[in-house]
Protein backbone atom coordinates (compact mmCIF):
# COMPACT_ATOMS: atom_id res chain seq x y z
CA UNK A 1 0.00 0.00 0.00
CA UNK A 2 1.25 3.50 -0.80
CA UNK A 3 2.02 5.67 2.19
CA UNK A 4 0.65 9.22 2.26
CA UNK A 5 2.87 11.62 0.28
CA UNK A 6 3.85 13.59 3.39
CA UNK A 7 5.11 10.50 5.23
CA UNK A 8 6.92 8.90 2.27
CA UNK A 9 10.66 8.51 2.64
CA UNK A 10 11.86 11.32 0.40
CA UNK A 11 15.29 12.26 -0.82
CA UNK A 12 16.37 15.67 0.43
CA UNK A 13 16.79 16.84 -3.17
CA UNK A 14 13.02 16.36 -3.54
CA UNK A 15 11.97 17.41 -0.04
CA UNK A 16 14.13 20.54 -0.06
CA UNK A 17 15.58 22.42 2.88
CA UNK A 18 12.27 24.06 3.74
CA UNK A 19 10.36 20.79 3.47
CA UNK A 20 12.91 19.22 5.81
CA UNK A 21 12.53 22.04 8.33
CA UNK A 22 8.72 21.61 8.24
CA UNK A 23 9.17 17.89 8.99
CA UNK A 24 11.56 18.65 11.83
CA UNK A 25 9.12 21.20 13.21
CA UNK A 26 6.42 18.52 13.42
CA UNK A 27 8.80 15.86 14.75
CA UNK A 28 10.29 18.09 17.46
CA UNK A 29 7.01 19.66 18.57
CA UNK A 30 6.89 20.03 22.33
CA UNK A 31 4.62 21.50 24.96
CA UNK A 32 7.44 22.35 27.29
CA UNK A 33 6.31 25.48 29.16
CA UNK A 34 9.78 27.06 29.01
CA UNK A 35 9.62 27.30 25.20
CA UNK A 36 7.96 30.52 24.01
CA UNK A 37 9.13 30.29 20.38
CA UNK A 38 10.43 27.07 18.82
CA UNK A 39 11.45 26.10 15.26
CA UNK A 40 10.28 28.48 12.57
CA UNK A 41 11.71 31.86 13.47
CA UNK A 42 15.17 33.46 13.37
CA UNK A 43 15.92 32.24 16.91
CA UNK A 44 14.14 30.27 19.61
CA UNK A 45 12.87 32.13 22.69
CA UNK A 46 12.94 30.52 26.12
CA UNK A 47 11.24 31.57 29.35
CA UNK A 48 14.06 31.02 31.84
CA UNK A 49 13.58 34.14 33.96
CA UNK A 50 10.64 36.33 34.96
CA UNK A 51 11.63 39.55 33.21
CA UNK A 52 13.34 38.51 29.97
CA UNK A 53 13.20 35.87 27.27
CA UNK A 54 16.42 34.06 26.44
CA UNK A 55 17.13 33.83 22.70
CA UNK A 56 19.19 31.04 21.14
CA UNK A 57 20.27 30.57 17.54
CA UNK A 58 22.97 28.71 15.64
CA UNK A 59 24.44 29.09 12.17
CA UNK A 60 27.28 27.28 10.50
CA UNK A 61 29.72 28.27 7.74
CA UNK A 62 31.42 25.54 5.74
CA UNK A 63 34.40 25.92 3.45
CA UNK A 64 33.40 25.26 -0.15
CA UNK A 65 29.72 25.92 0.62
CA UNK A 66 29.74 29.35 2.28
CA UNK A 67 33.26 30.56 1.71
CA UNK A 68 36.56 29.77 0.11
CA UNK A 69 39.82 30.25 2.00
CA UNK A 70 41.27 31.81 -1.17
CA UNK A 71 38.82 34.73 -0.92
CA UNK A 72 38.26 35.18 2.80
CA UNK A 73 40.93 36.01 5.38
CA UNK A 74 40.54 34.05 8.62
CA UNK A 75 39.53 37.33 10.30
CA UNK A 76 36.68 37.69 7.79
CA UNK A 77 35.54 34.08 8.25
CA UNK A 78 35.36 34.60 12.03
CA UNK A 79 33.64 37.97 11.60
CA UNK A 80 31.04 36.61 9.19
CA UNK A 81 30.32 33.50 11.27
CA UNK A 82 29.51 35.75 14.22
CA UNK A 83 27.69 38.34 12.08
CA UNK A 84 25.20 35.84 10.64
CA UNK A 85 24.26 34.71 14.15
CA UNK A 86 23.99 38.27 15.49
CA UNK A 87 21.69 39.08 12.58
CA UNK A 88 19.24 36.36 13.71
CA UNK A 89 19.18 37.67 17.29
CA UNK A 90 18.69 41.22 15.93
CA UNK A 91 15.74 40.04 13.83
CA UNK A 92 14.00 38.89 17.04
CA UNK A 93 14.54 42.35 18.57
CA UNK A 94 17.16 40.99 21.00
CA UNK A 95 20.63 41.64 22.38
CA UNK A 96 23.35 39.05 21.64
CA UNK A 97 25.37 38.10 24.72
CA UNK A 98 27.15 34.74 24.85
CA UNK A 99 28.59 32.44 22.19
CA UNK A 100 30.05 28.94 21.98
CA UNK A 101 32.13 28.09 18.93
CA UNK A 102 32.49 24.67 17.28
CA UNK A 103 35.35 24.27 14.83
CA UNK A 104 36.23 21.57 12.30
CA UNK A 105 39.90 22.16 11.48
CA UNK A 106 42.41 20.58 9.16
CA UNK A 107 45.75 19.80 10.83
CA UNK A 108 47.53 21.82 8.14
CA UNK A 109 46.17 25.10 9.57
CA UNK A 110 48.45 27.18 11.82
CA UNK A 111 47.81 28.60 15.28
CA UNK A 112 48.11 32.14 13.82
CA UNK A 113 45.30 31.29 11.40
CA UNK A 114 43.06 30.21 14.29
CA UNK A 115 44.02 33.35 16.26
CA UNK A 116 42.88 35.50 13.35
CA UNK A 117 39.64 33.53 13.10
CA UNK A 118 38.97 34.39 16.75
CA UNK A 119 40.08 38.02 16.26
CA UNK A 120 37.32 38.32 13.63
CA UNK A 121 34.71 36.77 15.94
CA UNK A 122 35.76 39.01 18.82
CA UNK A 123 35.82 42.16 16.67
CA UNK A 124 32.24 41.58 15.51
CA UNK A 125 31.29 40.61 19.07
CA UNK A 126 32.62 43.94 20.38
CA UNK A 127 30.81 45.86 17.65
CA UNK A 128 27.63 44.05 18.68
CA UNK A 129 27.87 45.38 22.23
CA UNK A 130 30.24 42.85 23.80
CA UNK A 131 29.53 39.19 23.07
CA UNK A 132 31.38 36.89 25.46
CA UNK A 133 32.90 33.74 23.95
CA UNK A 134 32.40 31.11 26.62
CA UNK A 135 33.33 27.78 25.04
CA UNK A 136 33.02 25.50 22.07
CA UNK A 137 34.22 22.26 20.57
CA UNK A 138 37.14 21.34 18.32
CA UNK A 139 37.47 18.43 15.93
CA UNK A 140 39.64 17.55 12.98
CA UNK A 141 38.11 17.86 9.54
CA UNK A 142 39.31 18.06 5.95
CA UNK A 143 37.61 21.42 5.29
CA UNK A 144 37.13 24.33 7.66
CA UNK A 145 33.79 24.36 9.49
CA UNK A 146 32.73 27.02 11.95
CA UNK A 147 29.46 26.75 13.80
CA UNK A 148 28.42 29.29 16.43
CA UNK A 149 25.59 29.01 18.91
CA UNK A 150 24.65 32.45 20.16
CA UNK A 151 22.58 33.28 23.22
CA UNK A 152 20.92 36.58 23.87
CA UNK A 153 17.90 38.10 25.51
CA UNK A 154 14.92 40.29 24.79
CA UNK A 155 12.22 41.97 26.85
CA UNK A 156 9.03 39.99 26.11
CA UNK A 157 7.21 43.10 24.84
CA UNK A 158 9.99 43.76 22.28
CA UNK A 159 10.09 40.21 20.86
CA UNK A 160 9.27 40.47 17.15
CA UNK A 161 8.33 37.34 15.20
CA UNK A 162 7.92 36.45 11.54
CA UNK A 163 4.28 35.69 12.19
CA UNK A 164 2.81 39.09 13.12
CA UNK A 165 2.15 40.62 9.68
CA UNK A 166 -1.47 41.51 8.94
CA UNK A 167 -3.21 42.41 5.67
CA UNK A 168 -3.06 46.19 5.32
CA UNK A 169 0.46 46.49 6.82
CA UNK A 170 3.29 47.95 4.77
CA UNK A 171 6.58 46.17 4.10
CA UNK A 172 9.96 47.87 4.54
CA UNK A 173 13.62 46.94 4.34
CA UNK A 174 16.78 48.52 5.73
CA UNK A 175 19.78 49.34 3.50
CA UNK A 176 20.12 47.89 0.00
CA UNK A 177 19.77 44.37 -1.37
CA UNK A 178 21.79 42.32 -3.85
CA UNK A 179 25.18 43.80 -2.96
CA UNK A 180 26.57 40.73 -1.23
CA UNK A 181 25.54 38.34 -4.02
CA UNK A 182 27.06 40.62 -6.64
CA UNK A 183 30.18 40.88 -4.47
CA UNK A 184 30.40 37.07 -4.54
CA UNK A 185 29.96 37.09 -8.32
CA UNK A 186 32.77 39.65 -8.61
CA UNK A 187 35.07 37.52 -6.46
CA UNK A 188 34.76 34.87 -9.16
CA UNK A 189 35.77 37.30 -11.90
CA UNK A 190 39.00 39.18 -12.32
CA UNK A 191 38.50 42.77 -11.12
CA UNK A 192 41.42 43.85 -13.32
CA UNK A 193 39.02 43.48 -16.26
CA UNK A 194 36.80 46.22 -14.83
CA UNK A 195 37.53 49.84 -15.78
CA UNK A 196 39.38 51.76 -13.07
CA UNK A 197 36.29 53.91 -12.45
CA UNK A 198 34.38 50.82 -11.25
CA UNK A 199 37.08 49.39 -8.99
CA UNK A 200 35.88 51.22 -5.85
CA UNK A 201 32.31 50.03 -6.41
CA UNK A 202 33.63 46.53 -6.94
CA UNK A 203 35.62 46.64 -3.68
CA UNK A 204 32.58 47.97 -1.82
CA UNK A 205 30.37 45.10 -3.01
CA UNK A 206 33.00 42.48 -2.28
CA UNK A 207 33.47 43.89 1.24
CA UNK A 208 29.72 43.53 1.83
CA UNK A 209 30.04 39.85 1.00
CA UNK A 210 33.19 39.23 3.02
CA UNK A 211 32.41 41.31 6.10
CA UNK A 212 28.68 41.98 6.46
CA UNK A 213 27.46 44.23 9.23
CA UNK A 214 24.27 42.98 10.88
CA UNK A 215 21.61 45.62 11.57
CA UNK A 216 21.61 45.30 15.34
CA UNK A 217 21.24 49.02 16.14
CA UNK A 218 18.47 49.46 13.60
CA UNK A 219 16.66 46.42 14.98
CA UNK A 220 16.90 47.89 18.49
CA UNK A 221 15.39 51.17 17.31
CA UNK A 222 12.65 49.42 15.33
CA UNK A 223 11.48 47.26 18.24
CA UNK A 224 11.78 50.02 20.87
CA UNK A 225 9.45 52.20 18.81
CA UNK A 226 7.02 49.26 18.60
CA UNK A 227 7.10 49.76 14.87
CA UNK A 228 7.33 46.25 13.45
CA UNK A 229 4.45 43.78 13.40
CA UNK A 230 6.80 41.13 11.90
CA UNK A 231 10.53 41.06 11.20
CA UNK A 232 13.12 38.73 9.62
CA UNK A 233 16.74 39.15 8.57
CA UNK A 234 17.57 38.78 4.89
CA UNK A 235 20.00 35.89 4.69
CA UNK A 236 18.45 34.04 1.74
CA UNK A 237 17.30 36.86 -0.55
CA UNK A 238 14.45 39.37 -0.38
CA UNK A 239 11.94 37.19 -2.26
CA UNK A 240 12.60 34.17 -0.05
CA UNK A 241 12.39 36.10 3.20
CA UNK A 242 9.17 37.82 2.09
CA UNK A 243 7.77 34.34 1.51
CA UNK A 244 8.79 33.28 5.02
CA UNK A 245 7.00 36.26 6.59
CA UNK A 246 3.97 35.55 4.39
CA UNK A 247 3.84 31.87 5.31
CA UNK A 248 4.44 32.42 9.03
CA UNK A 249 1.80 35.18 9.16
CA UNK A 250 -0.76 33.55 6.85
CA UNK A 251 -0.80 36.55 4.50
CA UNK A 252 0.15 37.51 0.95
CA UNK A 253 2.77 40.10 0.02
CA UNK A 254 3.21 42.46 -2.94
CA UNK A 255 6.55 44.08 -3.61
CA UNK A 256 6.89 47.04 -5.99
CA UNK A 257 9.92 46.57 -8.24
CA UNK A 258 10.67 50.28 -8.47
CA UNK A 259 10.75 50.65 -4.67
CA UNK A 260 13.38 47.97 -4.01
CA UNK A 261 16.51 49.74 -2.72
CA UNK A 262 19.66 48.91 -4.68
CA UNK A 263 23.03 50.59 -4.41
CA UNK A 264 24.51 52.79 -7.10
CA UNK A 265 27.50 50.44 -7.15
CA UNK A 266 25.23 47.49 -7.95
CA UNK A 267 23.50 49.36 -10.77
CA UNK A 268 26.79 50.55 -12.26
CA UNK A 269 28.42 47.13 -12.23
CA UNK A 270 25.33 45.26 -13.43
CA UNK A 271 25.09 47.69 -16.34
CA UNK A 272 28.75 47.20 -17.20
CA UNK A 273 28.62 43.39 -17.00
CA UNK A 274 25.13 43.02 -18.55
CA UNK A 275 23.77 41.43 -15.39
CA UNK A 276 20.17 41.77 -14.18
CA UNK A 277 20.07 43.98 -11.06
CA UNK A 278 16.55 42.74 -10.20
CA UNK A 279 17.74 39.14 -9.99
CA UNK A 280 20.46 40.14 -7.52
CA UNK A 281 18.05 42.31 -5.52
CA UNK A 282 15.34 39.63 -5.22
CA UNK A 283 17.35 36.43 -5.10
CA UNK A 284 20.80 37.43 -3.87
CA UNK A 285 21.45 36.21 -0.35
CA UNK A 286 23.57 37.30 2.61
CA UNK A 287 22.73 40.99 2.77
CA UNK A 288 21.68 40.67 6.43
CA UNK A 289 19.27 43.58 6.12
CA UNK A 290 16.02 43.61 8.11
CA UNK A 291 12.72 43.06 6.35
CA UNK A 292 9.76 44.16 8.47
CA UNK A 293 6.07 44.95 8.31
CA UNK A 294 4.36 47.82 10.10
CA UNK A 295 1.04 49.61 10.33
CA UNK A 296 0.44 52.30 7.64
CA UNK A 297 -0.11 54.81 10.49
CA UNK A 298 3.63 54.70 11.05
CA UNK A 299 4.57 55.43 7.46
CA UNK A 300 5.87 58.93 8.25
CA UNK A 301 8.03 57.66 11.08
CA UNK A 302 9.56 54.96 8.86
CA UNK A 303 10.17 57.41 6.02
CA UNK A 304 11.62 60.05 8.32
CA UNK A 305 14.45 58.40 10.08
CA UNK A 306 14.81 54.66 9.92
CA UNK A 307 17.11 54.36 6.94
CA UNK A 308 14.53 51.94 5.59
CA UNK A 309 12.62 51.87 2.31
CA UNK A 310 8.95 51.04 2.06
CA UNK A 311 8.79 48.42 -0.68
CA UNK A 312 5.42 46.76 -0.52
CA UNK A 313 2.16 45.83 1.12
CA UNK A 314 0.79 42.93 3.07
CA UNK A 315 -2.35 41.54 1.44
CA UNK A 316 -4.62 38.58 2.03
CA UNK A 317 -3.14 35.08 1.80
CA UNK A 318 -5.20 34.23 -1.28
CA UNK A 319 -3.41 36.97 -3.25
CA UNK A 320 -0.08 35.13 -2.92
CA UNK A 321 3.38 36.62 -3.16
CA UNK A 322 3.66 38.99 -6.11
CA UNK A 323 6.01 41.41 -7.76
CA UNK A 324 4.49 44.55 -9.27
CA UNK A 325 6.78 45.43 -12.15
CA UNK A 326 7.60 48.92 -13.40
CA UNK A 327 4.62 48.93 -15.76
CA UNK A 328 2.24 48.00 -12.92
CA UNK A 329 1.85 44.39 -14.07
CA UNK A 330 1.38 41.81 -11.31
CA UNK A 331 3.76 38.82 -11.60
CA UNK A 332 4.40 35.76 -9.47
CA UNK A 333 7.42 36.55 -7.32
CA UNK A 334 10.52 35.10 -8.96
CA UNK A 335 13.26 33.32 -6.97
CA UNK A 336 11.63 32.62 -3.64
CA UNK A 337 14.75 31.68 -1.71
CA UNK A 338 17.89 29.61 -1.93
CA UNK A 339 17.40 25.95 -1.05
CA UNK A 340 20.46 23.98 0.05
CA UNK A 341 19.08 20.67 -1.26
CA UNK A 342 16.72 21.21 -4.17
CA UNK A 343 17.90 20.00 -7.56
P1 LIG B 1 17.72 31.49 9.36
O1 LIG B 1 17.87 31.64 7.87
O2 LIG B 1 17.05 32.63 10.02
O3 LIG B 1 19.01 31.09 10.05
P2 LIG B 1 16.79 28.87 8.92
O4 LIG B 1 16.07 28.87 7.62
O5 LIG B 1 18.20 28.38 8.94
O6 LIG B 1 16.71 30.31 9.57
O7 LIG B 1 15.98 28.03 9.94
C1 LIG B 1 14.59 28.17 10.05
C2 LIG B 1 14.14 27.52 11.34
O8 LIG B 1 14.43 26.12 11.29
C3 LIG B 1 14.84 28.05 12.58
O9 LIG B 1 13.89 28.15 13.61
C4 LIG B 1 15.88 26.99 12.89
O10 LIG B 1 16.18 26.92 14.27
C5 LIG B 1 15.20 25.72 12.43
N1 LIG B 1 16.15 24.67 11.99
C6 LIG B 1 17.00 24.71 10.92
N2 LIG B 1 17.72 23.58 10.83
C7 LIG B 1 17.33 22.78 11.87
C8 LIG B 1 17.71 21.49 12.33
N3 LIG B 1 18.65 20.79 11.69
N4 LIG B 1 17.07 20.98 13.42
C9 LIG B 1 16.12 21.71 14.06
N5 LIG B 1 15.73 22.94 13.68
C10 LIG B 1 16.31 23.48 12.60
MG1 LIG C 1 17.31 34.63 9.94
Amino acid sequence: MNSKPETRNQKLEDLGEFGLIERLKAKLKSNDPTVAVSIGDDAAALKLTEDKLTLITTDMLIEGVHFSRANFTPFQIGWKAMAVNVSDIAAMGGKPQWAVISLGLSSSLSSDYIDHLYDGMKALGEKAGGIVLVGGDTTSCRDLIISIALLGSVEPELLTLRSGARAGDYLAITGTVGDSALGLELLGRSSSRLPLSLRNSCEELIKKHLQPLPRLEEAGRIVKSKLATAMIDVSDGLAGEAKRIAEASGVGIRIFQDKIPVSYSLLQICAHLCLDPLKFALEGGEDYELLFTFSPEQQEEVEAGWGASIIGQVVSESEGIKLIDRSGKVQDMPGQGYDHFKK
Side-chain angles (χ1 to χ4, degrees):
M1 205 173 82
N2 281 341
S3 54
K4 282 194 241 146
E6 65 269 24
T7 56
R8 220 185 328 127
N9 185 17
Q10 277 180 295
K11 285 226 169 101
L12 297 185
E13 62 190 25
D14 298 319
L15 185 60
E17 182 188 351
F18 303 108
L20 174 66
I21 289 175
E22 281 310 307
R23 270 183 77 102
L24 291 174
K25 202 169 159 178
K27 193 175 174 65
L28 305 180
K29 204 172 163 64
S30 127
N31 293 322
D32 191 301
T34 58
V35 181
V37 177
S38 184
I39 297 176
D41 219 297
D42 292 301
L46 311 174
K47 285 182 260 183
L48 305 183
T49 60
E50 280 295 305
D51 56 332
K52 287 198 178 175
L53 289 166
T54 300
L55 297 172
I56 179 161
T57 186
T58 183
D59 246 307
M60 172 162 52
L61 299 188
I62 298 185
E63 183 179 354
V65 178
H66 301 95
F67 65 89
S68 115
R69 276 199 282 140
N71 291 333
F72 281 73
T73 64
F75 183 95
Q76 288 166 334
I77 296 169
W79 172 288
K80 188 161 181 176
M82 192 61 89
V84 303
N85 280 281
V86 167
S87 182
D88 277 325
I89 297 286
M92 302 295 283
K95 173 178 152 59
Q97 288 168 290
W98 304 278
V100 288
I101 294 98
S102 299
L103 296 177
L105 300 172
S106 125
S107 52
S108 64
L109 291 173
S110 69
S111 57
D112 274 3
Y113 191 94
I114 309 304
D115 277 351
H116 291 141
L117 203 61
Y118 275 84
D119 290 342
M121 283 184 249
K122 284 170 70 180
L124 193 282
E126 273 160 35
K127 233 181 161 36
I131 296 171
V132 201
L133 279 55
V134 292
D137 189 29
T138 310
T139 179
S140 74
C141 191
R142 197 192 56 188
D143 297 318
L144 177 56
I145 299 178
I146 174 165
S147 174
I148 298 183
L150 183 60
L151 276 144
S153 64
V154 63
E155 286 83 11
E157 64 278 14
L158 301 187
L159 179 74
T160 310
L161 304 181
R162 296 175 179 182
S163 54
R166 295 292 167 258
D169 284 352
Y170 286 171
L171 181 72
I173 189 160
T174 58
T176 55
V177 276
D179 293 340
S180 173
L182 184 54
L184 175 62
E185 170 78 30
L186 292 169
L187 278 170
R189 299 175 179 232
S190 167
S191 67
S192 59
R193 291 212 207 109
L194 284 173
L196 263 178
S197 61
L198 291 182
R199 298 267 174 89
N200 281 346
S201 296
C202 175
E203 291 307 312
E204 185 193 313
L205 297 169
I206 289 177
K207 177 92 189 285
K208 285 216 175 165
H209 181 75
L210 297 176
Q211 236 178 297
L213 202 55
R215 297 286 189 180
L216 189 59
E217 270 177 39
E218 291 82 350
R221 276 189 269 138
I222 290 168
V223 296
K224 281 195 188 94
S225 73
K226 303 270 163 67
L227 198 70
T229 49
M231 186 154 69
I232 191 168
D233 69 319
V234 181
S235 52
D236 291 337
L238 170 58
E241 306 298 359
K243 184 180 179 196
R244 288 172 169 185
I245 287 189
E247 284 180 350
S249 300
V251 295
I253 282 180
R254 338 178 110 199
I255 294 179
F256 297 91
Q257 183 182 341
D258 60 354
K259 303 279 186 212
I260 300 173
V262 287
S263 67
Y264 182 60
S265 297
L266 179 132
L267 289 176
Q268 263 186 318
I269 294 200
C270 280
H272 183 79
L273 297 174
C274 299
L275 297 169
D276 178 10
L278 182 64
K279 191 168 166 63
F280 282 95
L282 284 177
E283 299 176 37
E286 303 194 311
D287 285 309
Y288 301 103
E289 296 296 345
L290 296 168
L291 181 67
F292 61 97
T293 56
F294 63 96
S295 153
E297 283 144 40
Q298 284 167 302
Q299 180 175 358
E300 262 179 40
E301 201 176 337
V302 173
E303 281 170 343
W306 295 97
S309 311
I310 300 175
I311 59 167
Q313 290 168 335
V314 180
V315 292
S316 68
E317 190 171 22
S318 59
E319 292 187 54
I321 304 163
K322 306 286 180 190
L323 180 72
I324 316 299
D325 73 14
R326 291 189 196 284
S327 65
K329 215 169 88 212
V330 181
Q331 303 177 7
D332 283 337
M333 182 67 71
Q336 294 181 21
Y338 178 76
D339 192 302
H340 275 276
F341 298 122
K342 282 249 162 145
K343 279 183 284 194

